[in-house]
């Protein structure tokens, strides 16, 4: 009888084959729930066995000594961050270095994506202490929640004034820029009052990749530790399914590129500019990226001590022990 697992995932297109059952395993019966918000703590969930997890929050579990979740170095969400910094279309800021001394909005202080975005900004000479930060909801449609997560500091890192949407604060000139991986409604319609700070963000991201050698990972896959203890093989089996789902979706995307007029050009450029295996799962191939992320969490004051990659991961994607 296959092992039943309930898996919480965000709505990533490359997980469609897994959701539809186009990739499957005789050892696993996976029920996928598409969620809009990541679980706050998989280890305490009564509903899920496996989940997409924030890399930042996973590292917090490790530093807290919480071993209820086993993290797999299979990074289900990756992305460059230069494109995620927006400003007013009529504003003067056109380079990341110009954000020194400015007011910057973030959708969550400790979010993995925002940690990587601050890392990109830090490479341009703008650290946490070089700007004024405001954490808040992006638009009116987003909920009012605690986005400081205990990292607020008066005069440096504060909640958005009156919990007002940050797009409004940017329009009015209170904010100079916003970090957001998800563009506000209307952004792609041509009439948006906003634009990316870096107009050639693709070029900046390509140079970033040439420097660091990876596309930053934001989310990973976590499994409840008691399930792993009883079924050690589950790590390898699940990771294989996720990788196969991604491979199958890329194959279909290439076949049906006409779904977007310029998709063929994008696919050709991506294949030419990124090496084969840039998205590979596994500890060794991602070790530098993991180490850099842990370093950023420490430098930015999110983790009180520097964690090594071996501190963060006990198992590789094939189920073998690390270290």
């Amino acid at each position: 009888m296959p092992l039943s697992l309930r898996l919480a995932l965000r709505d990533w297109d490359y997980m469609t084959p897994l959701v539809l059952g186009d990739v499957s395993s005789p050892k696993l019966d996976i029920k996928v729930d598409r969620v809009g918000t990541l679980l706050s703590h998989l280890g305490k969930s009564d509903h899920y066995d496996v989940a997409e997890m924030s890399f930042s929050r996973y590292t917090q579990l490790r530093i807290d000594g919480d071993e209820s979740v086993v993290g797999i170095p299979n990074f289900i969400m990756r992305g460059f961050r230069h494109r995620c910094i927006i400003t007013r279309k009529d504003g003067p800021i056109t380079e990341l270095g110009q954000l020194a001394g400015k007011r910057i909005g973030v959708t969550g202080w400790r979010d993995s994506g925002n940690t990587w975005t601050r890392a990109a900004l830090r490479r341009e000479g703008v650290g946490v202490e070089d700007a004024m930060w405001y954490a808040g909801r992006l638009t009116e449609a987003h909920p009012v929640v605690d986005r400081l997560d205990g990292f607020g500091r008066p005069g440096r890192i504060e909640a958005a004034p009156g919990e007002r949407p940050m797009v409004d604060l940017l329009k009015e000139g209170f904010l100079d820029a916003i970090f957001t991986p998800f563009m506000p409604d209307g952004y792609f319609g041509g009439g948006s009052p906003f634009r990316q700070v870096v107009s050639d963000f693709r070029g900046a991201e390509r140079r970033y990749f040439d420097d660091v050698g990876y596309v930053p990972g934001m989310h990973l896959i976590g499994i409840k530790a008691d399930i792993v203890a009883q079924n050690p093989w589950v790590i390898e089996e699940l990771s294989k399914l996720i990788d196969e789902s991604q491979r199958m979706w890329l194959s279909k995307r290439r076949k049906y590129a006409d779904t977007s007029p310029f998709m063929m050009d994008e696919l050709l450029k991506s294949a030419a500019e990124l090496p084969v295996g840039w998205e590979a799962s596994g500890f060794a191939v991602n070790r530098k990226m993991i180490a850099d992320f842990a370093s950023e969490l420490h430098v930015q004051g999110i983790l009180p001590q520097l964690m090594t990659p071996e501190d963060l991961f006990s198992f590789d994607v094939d189920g073998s022990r690390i270290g």
Side-chain angles (χ1 to χ4, degrees):
M1 177 179 290
L3 176 66
S4 294
L5 296 177
R6 186 163 291 277
L7 168 62
L9 285 178
R10 293 186 98 169
D11 209 7
W12 303 115
D13 55 2
Y14 42 82
M15 289 295 99
T16 300
L18 181 65
V19 173
L20 296 179
D22 292 339
V23 297
S24 60
S25 163
K27 293 184 176 182
L28 293 175
D29 176 24
I30 299 178
K31 300 291 191 298
V32 179
D33 282 357
R34 296 154 56 197
V35 297
T37 303
L38 300 186
L39 304 186
S40 59
H41 194 315
L42 171 63
K44 297 179 180 179
S45 173
D46 294 327
H47 194 60
Y48 294 106
D49 309 297
V50 186
E52 175 181 351
M53 297 181 65
S54 157
F55 193 5
S56 173
R57 293 186 183 276
Y58 169 72
T59 60
Q60 187 66 56
L61 293 183
R62 298 294 290 182
I63 204 168
D64 289 344
D66 186 333
E67 298 183 355
S68 63
V69 175
V70 171
I72 308 175
N74 189 317
F75 294 91
I76 194 168
M77 179 189 177
R78 296 177 185 261
F80 290 119
R81 311 314 294 171
H82 295 72
R83 68 191 61 195
C84 298
I85 310 174
I86 64 173
T87 188
R88 293 185 304 281
K89 189 173 288 184
D90 60 356
I93 300 173
T94 57
E95 298 177 1
L96 298 189
Q98 293 173 330
L99 290 172
K102 304 299 184 182
R103 297 190 187 106
I104 304 172
V106 295
T107 50
W109 184 255
R110 73 176 304 151
D111 292 356
S112 303
N114 288 332
T115 299
W116 280 119
T117 311
R118 288 192 297 268
L121 198 60
R122 211 163 63 81
R123 291 172 66 87
E124 302 300 322
V126 184
V128 170
E129 303 303 319
D130 299 317
M132 180 65 199
W133 305 86
Y134 294 89
R137 53 181 176 155
L138 182 63
T139 71
E140 187 75 37
H142 291 86
V144 175
V145 296
D146 176 18
R147 298 175 187 271
L148 290 171
D149 206 11
F151 293 94
R153 281 191 285 139
R156 182 61 62 197
I157 308 169
E158 300 181 356
E163 299 290 356
R164 295 187 60 210
M166 290 194 297
V167 290
D168 293 344
L169 296 172
L170 183 56
K171 285 178 187 176
E172 296 167 7
F174 179 81
L175 291 178
D176 298 290
I178 294 173
F179 288 4
T180 175
F182 307 116
M183 299 301 113
D185 288 345
Y187 190 83
F188 298 99
S192 172
F194 309 123
R195 59 171 171 80
Q196 267 91 8
V197 165
V198 180
S199 59
D200 181 20
F201 57 81
R202 187 191 186 102
E205 291 165 352
R206 174 58 193 274
R207 291 188 293 274
Y208 179 89
F209 182 86
D210 290 343
D211 286 344
V212 301
Y214 54 75
V215 178
M218 270 74 76
H219 296 171
L220 52 85
I221 293 296
I223 308 178
K224 284 185 174 177
D226 57 349
I227 294 175
V228 173
Q230 297 170 31
N231 308 276
W233 53 268
V234 72
I235 292 177
E236 182 176 20
E237 198 71 13
L238 180 61
S239 191
K240 283 181 177 178
L241 287 177
I242 291 169
D243 289 346
E244 180 57 26
S245 184
Q246 292 175 314
R247 283 191 292 269
M248 183 180 290
W249 185 255
L250 178 58
S251 176
K252 289 179 180 291
R253 180 183 288 163
R254 288 170 172 169
K255 182 176 181 179
Y256 301 117
D258 285 346
T259 55
S260 180
F262 303 111
M263 181 61 73
M264 181 66 73
D265 182 58
E266 176 59 33
L267 289 169
L268 289 169
K269 286 181 178 177
S270 293
E273 295 176 8
L274 293 174
V276 174
W278 66 266
E279 75 280 54
S281 59
F283 183 77
V285 72
N286 287 292
R287 191 183 187 287
K288 182 178 185 301
M289 185 268 287
I290 295 167
D292 286 355
F293 187 69
S295 176
E296 283 299 330
L297 289 172
H298 180 54
V299 169
Q300 295 180 27
I302 294 172
L303 291 186
Q305 67 189 64
L306 179 62
M307 303 285 279
T308 69
E310 289 77 13
D311 291 331
L312 294 178
F313 290 95
S314 300
F315 294 92
D316 209 340
V317 291
D318 63 358
S320 62
R321 281 275 184 179
I322 293 171

